[in-house]
Amino acid sequence: MKLKAATIVALCALPLGANAQATGDAAAGESEFRQCTSCHGIASPDGDVIHRVAPTGPNLWGVAGRVAGSYDGYSRYSSAMQAAGEAGITWTEENFVAYVNDPTGYLREVTGDARARSNMNHRLRGSAENIYAYLAQFGAQ
């Protein structure tokens, strides 16, 4: 009995995937994601297209939990975004929300570089938590 209880406690202490940690409403996030589609898409590595992938920004498949500035096949990250990734920044809900609400301000804060710039100049309208919850559904966490 003690072993069973210890196992349950240990399993509850394990970190959950990004999808389980998302606090927003994924259904609302799907609607709010429309403002992102002029620059971003969602397509699986197998070629399943959720939203057409635009050439401007990186594919957001698997963005939840991904290291910043690290999507394979996308080479247009700013040097500040690359530095954030090299510093170990990953797209947790907290980091994602802060970034999409003020991309350049966020990169300046996490890199410590007052001249850092983001290539994303759009500030999100709506709930970043909802969009993160929507995106967290796509890709392995």
Side-chain angles (χ1 to χ4, degrees):
M1 186 68 149
K2 285 184 181 181
L3 180 57
K4 191 181 273 188
T7 302
I8 292 170
V9 169
L11 288 173
C12 290
L14 290 173
L16 301 173
N19 194 12
Q21 294 176 354
T23 62
D25 178 348
E30 179 177 10
S31 175
E32 293 171 8
F33 183 74
R34 288 189 182 107
Q35 67 185 299
C36 308
T37 60
S38 62
C39 297
H40 296 281
I42 305 170
S44 76
D46 299 334
D48 295 329
V49 176
I50 310 303
H51 289 278
R52 179 188 63 84
V53 177
T56 307
N59 179 359
L60 296 181
W61 178 274
V63 71
R66 182 190 303 159
V67 173
S70 69
Y71 184 76
D72 268 350
Y74 184 77
S75 61
R76 298 174 61 190
Y77 288 111
S78 69
S79 58
M81 181 61 77
Q82 292 172 356
E86 290 166 3
I89 299 297
T90 60
W91 295 124
T92 62
E93 181 175 0
E94 178 182 8
N95 289 337
F96 179 86
V97 168
Y99 176 72
V100 299
N101 284 319
D102 183 6
T104 292
Y106 175 81
L107 289 176
R108 287 178 179 173
E109 182 180 325
V110 299
T111 63
D113 179 358
R115 298 179 65 194
R117 303 279 306 159
S118 173
N119 287 345
M120 185 169 120
N121 58 19
H122 176 76
R123 287 185 182 206
L124 186 70
R125 295 179 312 277
S127 171
E129 290 85 359
N130 290 350
I131 292 175
Y132 184 84
Y134 175 65
L135 292 172
Q137 302 176 97
F138 306 108
Q141 273 82 64

